[in-house]
Amino acid sequence: MGLIEQLEEVLLTVDADLATVNNNAELQQKKANYLGKKGVLANVMANMRDLSIEEKKELGMRSNKVKAGLEAKFEAKRIELEDAIINAKLANETIDVTLPGVSFNNGGIHPLNQTIMELEDLYIGMGYSVAEGPEIETDENCFEKLNLPKGHPARDMQDTFYINPELLLRSQTSPVQVRTMLAEEGKPIKIICPGKVYRRDADDATHSHQFMQCEGLVLGKDITMADLKGALLEMARKMFDKDRNIRLRPSFFPFTEPSVEVDVSCGLCGGKGCSTCKGTGWIEVLGAGMVNDNVLRMSGYDPKEIQGYAFGIGVERITMLKHKIDDIRNFYTNDVRFLDQFKEVK
C-alpha cells in the first residue's frame, strides 16, 4: 500500500476510533495516537524520504489535508462530549423558576450624609455655593493664613496629624475658605464647605479622630453680625424645628473677631431646663464670628472695603441632637441595625 493510500486509510479508521471515545481524557489520548510526534500521521510521513521531489510535493499537500481533516474531527468530538455533559446536567439539575430569589436589603443614605444634604439644600436656597478642597493640606492654609502662626498657643486646641512639617490632614475645613479667597482675589464670597476633618482625639462617646464639618463664609460690603445671626437662626429652625431660638455668647477664635459660641434652645424642655441641657435651657451647637482683619489681608482682601462672617457646624453634633443619638461612635461602626433606622428619614 502506497503512502497516499495509507493517508486515506487514516481518515477511514479515525471515525471508528472516535466512536468509542466517552470522555475528554480518552479523546486526548486518541488525538496523540493520530497527530502526536509518534502518531500514525507522523509514521506515514517518516517514509517519504525515499520518494521523488514530485511525489514528496503531492504527499505533502495530501498530508496537510488529512491533518486538517483529523483536527476537525477531533474538535467536533470535543464539542460533542461537552454538549453531552451539559445536557446530562440539565436533565438532572432542574431549576424551579417559581421559587423566590435571594433577598437583598437596599442600602440607605448615611445619617451624616443626610445632614450634609439638608444643610446644602438650605444654604443653596439662601444663595450660597458649595466649595470643596483637599483633605491633605499645607500648614500655611490650615493655620498660618487663619491667623495661627507657628508657635501660636491656640494650635494646641487642635492636635493635628502631620505628614511632614508642611503637610497635614486638615483639622478643619477652613482651608477651603482660604483657597476660595485666594482664588476670588478680593471679590464677594458666599460659600459653605462640608467635608471630613481629622484631629488626634481619643475616641469616646463625644469625640472622634475623624469627623465632619460644614463651615460657611460670607464676604461682601456691609456684612454684619445681624446677617450672621439670621443665617444661623434659619439653620437651627430648618434642622430642628420652627420654634427653636438661638443665642450668641462671646468667645475667642483666632480667625474671627468678634467671636461667638452659638447655642440653640433645648427641644426637650422648650428652654425650661432639663438633664439634656444641664438645666440651662440651651445646647451649644457651633462657633462663629466676623472674619478677622488679619485673615482678610493674608488672602488679598482689604478689610476697609470687605467684611464678612464665618461659622463652623459640627455635622455629627447636629445629627446627634436632631436624632437624640448619645454616642458618636455609632456613626462609624457600620452597624446595620443602627443605620437601618435612617432609611426613611428625610
Side-chain angles (χ1 to χ4, degrees):
M1 182 183 294
L3 295 180
I4 292 179
E5 287 76 10
Q6 291 181 40
L7 290 176
E8 297 292 344
E9 183 70 16
V10 170
L11 280 177
L12 293 174
T13 60
V14 70
D15 289 333
D17 271 354
L18 288 175
T20 65
V21 172
N22 295 311
N23 56 61
N24 192 56
E26 292 178 3
L27 179 65
Q28 294 302 317
Q29 183 59 52
K30 291 290 184 183
K31 187 174 183 180
N33 292 343
Y34 279 88
L35 293 170
K37 291 182 179 180
K38 296 181 180 180
V40 176
L41 187 60
N43 289 335
V44 174
M45 298 304 295
N47 296 317
M48 68 184 298
R49 59 181 176 273
D50 298 327
L51 300 178
S52 66
I53 293 176
E54 292 300 323
E55 289 173 327
K56 287 179 179 179
K57 287 182 179 180
E58 183 179 356
L59 183 63
M61 290 187 292
R62 186 58 187 161
S63 68
N64 288 336
K65 292 181 180 179
V66 171
K67 182 179 180 182
L70 289 172
E71 289 177 342
K73 289 178 181 292
F74 280 105
E75 178 63 16
K77 186 63 178 181
R78 183 189 67 79
I79 294 173
E80 178 186 329
L81 291 173
E82 289 184 354
D83 288 345
I85 293 172
I86 292 173
N87 290 333
K89 285 185 176 181
L90 291 174
N92 297 318
E93 299 176 8
T94 58
I95 298 175
D96 186 350
V97 296
T98 65
L99 290 174
V102 177
S103 177
F104 292 95
N105 291 327
N106 291 326
I109 300 174
H110 194 279
L112 297 179
N113 287 333
Q114 289 182 22
T115 298
I116 288 177
M117 291 167 64
E118 289 183 52
L119 288 169
E120 289 179 345
D121 287 345
L122 167 65
Y123 282 106
I124 288 173
M126 295 166 63
Y128 290 67
S129 299
V130 178
E132 296 180 340
E135 294 177 20
I136 296 179
E137 258 296 357
T138 64
D139 183 271
E140 181 181 23
N141 285 346
C142 199
F143 291 123
E144 294 185 34
K145 285 190 176 295
L146 292 168
N147 206 31
L148 284 158
K150 287 182 171 62
H152 195 290
R155 286 198 183 205
D156 295 338
M157 297 167 60
Q158 301 181 16
D159 200 0
T160 308
F161 288 104
Y162 274 92
I163 298 170
N164 60 43
E166 298 302 325
L167 290 178
L168 49 88
L169 293 178
R170 67 184 183 188
S171 57
Q172 53 200 356
T173 54
S174 302
V176 181
Q177 300 178 22
V178 171
R179 289 174 175 269
T180 304
M181 286 190 285
L182 291 171
E184 292 298 324
E185 300 179 336
K187 299 176 184 176
I189 293 174
K190 198 172 186 181
I191 60 169
I192 57 169
C193 320
K196 294 179 183 177
V197 298
Y198 306 86
R199 296 183 189 176
R200 296 177 61 183
D201 284 334
D203 289 0
D204 57 28
T206 57
H207 297 84
S208 174
H209 65 280
Q210 172 199 293
F211 54 101
M212 304 183 80
Q213 285 185 339
C214 182
E215 296 195 15
L217 174 68
V218 175
L219 297 179
K221 292 184 179 294
D222 303 321
I223 303 295
T224 68
M225 286 287 287
D227 299 311
L228 170 62
K229 184 176 181 181
L232 296 179
L233 179 61
E234 186 68 17
M235 182 276 296
R237 291 179 173 175
K238 169 68 174 180
M239 299 305 294
F240 301 110
D241 62 65
K242 60 183 178 62
D243 296 322
R244 293 296 182 96
N245 286 311
I246 63 171
R247 72 175 182 182
L248 310 183
R249 291 182 290 106
S251 186
F252 168 77
F253 303 112
F255 29 83
T256 53
E257 178 59 39
S259 303
V260 293
E261 296 283 359
V262 182
D263 301 331
V264 64
S265 56
C266 180
L268 291 178
C269 64
K272 296 177 181 178
C274 65
S275 59
T276 299
C277 61
K278 299 179 181 178
T280 65
W282 299 93
I283 298 174
E284 180 184 325
V285 290
L286 60 96
M290 302 299 291
V291 180
N292 191 295
D293 287 355
N294 291 335
V295 174
L296 292 172
R297 290 191 191 96
M298 284 187 282
S299 294
Y301 283 77
D302 182 355
K304 294 180 180 179
E305 299 293 330
I306 297 291
Q307 304 84 40
Y309 61 78
F311 57 85
I313 301 169
V315 175
E316 282 86 350
R317 183 159 183 78
I318 293 293
T319 310
M320 292 172 73
L321 290 172
K322 183 174 182 179
H323 299 297
K324 300 178 177 61
I325 298 167
D326 60 3
D327 195 324
I328 193 174
R329 291 170 292 192
N330 288 328
F331 295 126
Y332 297 106
T333 53
N334 298 322
D335 189 330
V336 175
R337 295 168 300 177
F338 171 78
L339 297 175
D340 278 347
Q341 301 174 84
F342 301 93
K343 283 186 178 180
E344 304 301 324
V345 174
K346 301 297 183 182

